[in-house]
Amino acid sequence: MPLDVAPSSITPLRQEWFTAAELAALGLQGIPTTKRGVNMMADAKGWSAPEREGGCWRMRQGQGGGLEYHYSVLPAAAQAKLTHTMVVRAPEATRMSVAESWAWFDRQTETKKRKAREKLEALDQVDALVLGGVDRTDAVRHVAQSRGISWRVIYDWSKACAHAARADRLPCLVPRNAGDVATAEMSPDAWTYIKSEWLRQSQPSFQACWRRLVMKAEAEGWTIPHERTVRRRLQALPAGVKTLLRKGADALREMIPDQERDRAVFHALEAVNADGHTWDVRVQWPGIEKPVRPVMVAFQDLYSGKILAWRLDTTLSWHAVRVAFGDLIEGFGIPSHCWLDNGREFANKRMTGGQANRYRFKVQADDPDGLMTTLGVKVHWTKPYSGQSKPIERAFRDFAQDLAKHPAFEGAYTGNSPTNKPSNYGSRVVPLDVFRQVVEEGVREHNARLGRRSVVCAGRSFDQVFAESYAASGIRQGTAEQRRMWLLSSEPVKARAPDGAIHLYGNRYWGEFLHGCIGQKVVARFDPDALHEPMHVYALDGRYLGAAAAESRAGFADVEAAATQERRRKDFVRKNRAKVEAEGLLSLTELAKAAPRVPKPPVMEPPRLVRPLFAGNTALKAAPAAAARKGEAEDLQEEMLRGIAHARPLRLISGSGGDA
């Protein structure tokens, strides 16, 4: 057998079989140098025994005939000298590099690897006996007998790894027969047809595709192998190709391991995520005749996993998201980051308008900033139904599996699909107040449950982890004005006369500040789930006016309520009287005394009327008292007419006859 020789220091041997003359001519150690001597040695060693044909000797092909001996029958010293300068070449079809050989060996089954190790162990035993001075033939027979195998098998193993160095023999001892998969003939068109048939998203069975292939092959004259061969070829296609074409792109993406995201990088309330969940419970919603399946909008802390705020509604809408986010602000503070999907309910302009990475709805340059943008919350968009980027979907799965099947909902549970309905489906409808109470208790239990196995919790509850981090973290708290921003705004409503009360959704709201808005329209901001709470009133130009309390109704014969209302009126009158006194007004007597006096007007002398005297029909008639001076007037008239003719200034005659 060949000794350990570095592959880089040897050259390929051109032949494995040698005649007696060729062996004699090589001058190998322990081999006679004459043809006769080699033949005598072969007879003595049993190289040419009939049972060793094919392993140790074979008939020479070509002119002259004779026998050829395999080099593996030579003594170890002769083999060492032979392989010191040469190595047996593997057949061209099976030859591969050392690295490729070991890579191929690594892909084999453990059973094949174990059998190869057993073969190598047997060959090592033969080599050890030969190096100890035992004849190779005797060594092979001894090892074969001890292992209960034929000595021919050992020669076959030696032949299989004769071309390799000692350290690289193991891959050579694994059978390389590939069966019929790579050798069976098949028409290319037939192979294309069966692949196209089988690799469809309807996922047809192989038997159906095979029957159609057989009929098509008969019509087209295609050559096809056995059914099992075609099946193996289809199964040998790349797994990604089979998954993509038969199951779709979503299934292909699932072949990549999920990303593990470390939420320990945050602190409590630094980052939250939100989503909507439709409950599988039939609930009687006030004002709606048919039962509905309520929708929950919830916000979850990413660090701890605690559900921080949630609201119920008949549908998933932007105002449900808004009021749930408002509960988060009111109860805990303002987060720095929020992970949302790009649905219309979360990506609406009222919530996320102005975000730099917002790509839903048409963006206008004059769009107002949304609530989250105004409060400085950085929004991150995720893929819908992505549990890796929205851990809250894991909590919703718990609610669907456990809380939706609460005993209080028995008969109202709808099942998680149209084909998975309980036998008592539709037998009961849960009132909204009962449903809300059970969900509220379920969320509290979800947050307080011990034994959470996340890296952050390590056996503790969501509540414990959140409280510990919340107490040691800097949380942004909203001002009173910021906390009012989440409230929903109504259409402009009128403050009715005579008291300025606002009537909305069947309720009446009033505050003293509304006296200044009587007959005017205002905007009211409110919580739709707490209409009994005060309503914040704004002017149409956005100025905050005040909070109007809800006016409760009283029974017609409720004496106590009537007395309370009367005391309220008296207090209102008393306060306003105190305000009047604080103004320091004058009494009626003092006001009458302080009234200004109107002085008498001075005596007026009779006015002297000055009138122009014109000629012609416009001349004034001479007064009787001036008749005696007629001649003088005529002279003056003539003089005036001459002055007019010469564009001279008009002379006036006073009423008393003097010049003016």
Side-chain angles (χ1 to χ4, degrees):
M1 298 295 291
L3 301 178
D4 293 341
V5 181
S8 60
S9 64
I10 57 179
T11 57
L13 182 67
R14 297 183 179 276
Q15 64 186 62
E16 301 178 33
W17 299 87
F18 300 87
T19 64
E22 291 172 341
L23 290 175
L26 289 175
L28 300 175
Q29 183 179 354
I31 301 298
T33 57
T34 63
K35 177 180 177 181
R36 178 177 175 80
V38 172
N39 286 330
M40 293 176 62
M41 182 179 182
D43 292 338
K45 298 291 186 181
W47 294 353
S48 58
E51 64 272 14
R52 294 188 176 185
E53 182 180 3
C56 295
W57 65 273
R58 71 180 184 182
M59 297 300 298
R60 180 174 178 273
Q61 302 295 326
Q63 187 176 3
L67 299 182
E68 291 180 332
Y69 300 99
H70 193 265
Y71 80 99
S72 61
V73 300
L74 302 177
Q79 290 191 41
K81 184 177 180 180
L82 182 66
T83 57
H84 181 71
T85 56
M86 298 179 292
V87 67
V88 179
R89 300 185 64 183
E92 294 292 334
T94 60
R95 191 189 318 152
M96 60 177 64
S97 66
V98 174
E100 292 173 342
S101 180
W102 278 106
W104 176 85
F105 175 80
D106 197 43
R107 294 193 297 269
Q108 305 309 304
T109 64
E110 186 60 32
T111 301
K112 292 183 177 181
K113 293 177 181 178
R114 178 177 53 81
K115 291 182 178 180
R117 295 188 186 99
E118 293 175 356
K119 296 176 184 178
L120 182 60
E121 183 180 354
L123 295 179
D124 289 342
Q125 290 178 355
V126 172
D127 290 344
L129 292 174
V130 172
L131 290 176
V134 179
D135 182 76
R136 174 167 292 277
T137 302
D138 296 336
V140 171
R141 290 182 178 275
H142 174 74
V143 173
Q145 184 178 4
S146 65
R147 291 180 173 268
I149 58 177
S150 172
W151 59 269
R152 292 178 177 272
V153 175
I154 297 181
Y155 279 113
D156 292 338
W157 296 345
S158 177
K159 178 181 177 182
C161 61
H163 65 280
R166 167 63 185 82
D168 301 321
R169 286 182 179 181
L170 194 60
C172 303
L173 295 174
V174 179
R176 296 175 182 262
N177 53 317
D180 297 333
V181 174
T183 58
E185 182 181 357
M186 186 175 186
S187 299
D189 292 340
W191 176 235
T192 302
Y193 177 83
I194 191 64
K195 286 191 299 182
S196 304
E197 269 276 9
W198 189 69
L199 294 174
R200 290 186 285 129
Q201 290 197 2
S202 57
Q203 300 184 26
S205 66
F206 173 77
Q207 291 295 337
C209 297
W210 170 256
R211 289 193 298 269
R212 286 189 286 269
L213 173 63
V214 172
M215 292 186 292
K216 185 71 173 177
E218 292 178 356
E220 300 292 338
W222 293 339
T223 300
I224 58 175
H226 193 273
E227 175 185 353
R228 290 193 298 270
T229 301
V230 177
R231 184 192 294 270
R232 286 196 300 267
R233 289 190 182 184
L234 290 175
Q235 294 298 335
L237 291 173
V241 173
K242 292 187 294 184
T243 302
L244 176 61
L245 296 180
R246 286 179 65 86
K247 299 181 180 180
D250 292 339
L252 180 65
R253 283 190 287 268
E254 292 179 358
M255 297 179 69
I256 300 298
D258 295 336
Q259 182 184 28
E260 294 185 3
R261 301 191 179 192
D262 185 11
R263 289 186 273 167
V265 299
F266 299 123
H267 61 73
L269 203 65
E270 181 180 1
V272 298
N273 70 124
D275 204 358
H277 171 67
T278 302
W279 287 87
D280 300 324
V281 181
R282 299 170 75 243
V283 175
Q284 187 62 59
W285 200 276
I288 301 179
E289 181 179 357
K290 295 183 178 181
V292 300
R293 294 171 57 198
V295 174
M296 168 190 276
V297 175
F299 282 81
Q300 179 194 45
D301 177 50
L302 277 178
Y303 171 74
S304 63
K306 178 178 180 178
I307 301 296
L308 301 177
W310 57 274
R311 283 295 181 102
L312 297 175
D313 205 342
T314 56
T315 58
L316 184 60
S317 57
W318 70 267
H319 53 79
V321 177
R322 189 181 184 99
V323 294
F325 185 68
D327 291 343
L328 173 65
I329 300 174
E330 294 278 356
F332 301 97
I334 303 175
S336 299
H337 302 271
C338 184
W339 269 259
L340 304 170
D341 65 39
N342 202 22
R344 300 174 64 90
E345 301 79 17
F346 295 96
N348 64 85
K349 295 182 180 181
R350 297 177 181 88
M351 290 299 299
T352 58
Q355 292 284 337
N357 57 344
R358 180 178 169 275
Y359 302 111
R360 179 170 287 275
F361 302 103
K362 186 175 182 180
V363 178
Q364 303 289 347
D366 56 350
D367 283 343
D369 288 343
L371 175 60
M372 291 186 176
T373 307
T374 303
L375 295 177
V377 180
K378 176 64 176 178
V379 176
H380 306 266
W381 306 108
T382 66
K383 296 180 180 179
Y385 309 105
S386 175
Q388 296 80 24
S389 53
K390 289 186 301 181
I392 195 172
E393 291 190 356
R394 176 65 175 83
F396 286 160
R397 189 178 69 181
D398 289 347
F399 293 159
Q401 292 178 350
D402 301 334
L403 195 54
K405 300 177 183 179
H406 192 276
F409 300 157
E410 188 65 25
Y413 178 65
T414 64
N416 57 7
S417 70
T419 59
N420 189 23
K421 296 181 181 296
S423 58
N424 60 353
Y425 168 76
S427 62
R428 184 166 170 265
V429 178
V430 179
L432 178 60
D433 56 345
V434 175
F435 179 80
R436 192 188 301 274
Q437 179 182 356
V438 173
V439 171
E440 183 176 354
E441 294 174 355
V443 172
R444 287 202 300 265
E445 188 276 334
H446 175 83
N447 291 333
R449 189 187 312 160
L450 296 173
R452 298 296 185 178
R453 294 178 296 179
S454 67
V455 176
V456 176
C457 293
R460 297 176 294 172
S461 68
F462 295 153
D463 280 337
Q464 292 173 338
V465 174
F466 180 83
E468 178 184 359
S469 178
Y470 188 82
S473 303
I475 308 299
R476 291 192 300 153
Q477 298 294 335
T479 63
E481 292 74 18
Q482 288 176 321
R483 290 196 297 269
R484 288 197 300 265
M485 293 176 61
W486 65 268
L487 296 173
L488 301 182
S489 61
S490 67
E491 297 295 331
V493 293
K494 182 179 291 187
R496 299 185 182 182
D499 52 9
I502 297 175
H503 294 254
L504 192 65
Y505 298 109
N507 298 321
R508 185 178 56 168
Y509 302 86
W510 181 82
E512 291 187 27
F513 67 92
L514 290 174
H515 288 158
C517 306
I518 295 176
Q520 301 177 9
K521 288 188 175 182
V522 293
V523 176
R525 290 185 176 272
F526 59 94
D527 183 349
D529 288 342
L531 293 177
H532 59 282
E533 296 292 333
M535 176 180 289
H536 297 277
V537 183
Y538 291 77
L540 294 180
D541 58 3
R543 292 179 293 108
Y544 180 66
L545 300 179
E551 297 289 315
S552 59
R553 295 184 179 183
F556 188 83
D558 192 342
V559 178
E560 183 179 355
T564 302
Q565 179 67 7
E566 185 61 25
R567 287 194 299 270
R568 181 183 178 190
R569 289 182 183 275
K570 289 181 179 180
D571 290 342
F572 179 72
V573 173
R574 187 183 305 110
K575 288 191 298 182
N576 280 276
R577 284 179 176 175
K579 292 179 181 179
V580 170
E581 293 178 1
E583 295 294 336
L585 302 178
L586 298 176
S587 65
L588 295 179
T589 303
E590 294 172 342
L591 184 62
K593 291 181 179 180
R597 301 297 179 183
V598 181
K600 293 182 179 181
V603 179
M604 300 179 63
E605 296 181 358
R608 295 190 302 170
L609 180 61
V610 179
R611 297 179 180 175
L613 182 62
F614 297 97
N617 295 333
T618 61
L620 296 177
K621 185 177 180 180
R629 307 172 70 176
K630 181 178 180 182
E632 183 179 356
E634 292 177 352
D635 295 338
L636 290 173
Q637 183 177 0
E638 293 178 0
E639 183 179 354
M640 184 178 65
L641 293 176
R642 286 195 300 272
I644 293 174
H646 292 84
R648 296 179 60 185
L650 180 66
R651 298 182 64 187
L652 301 179
I653 306 297
S654 65
S656 61
D659 295 338

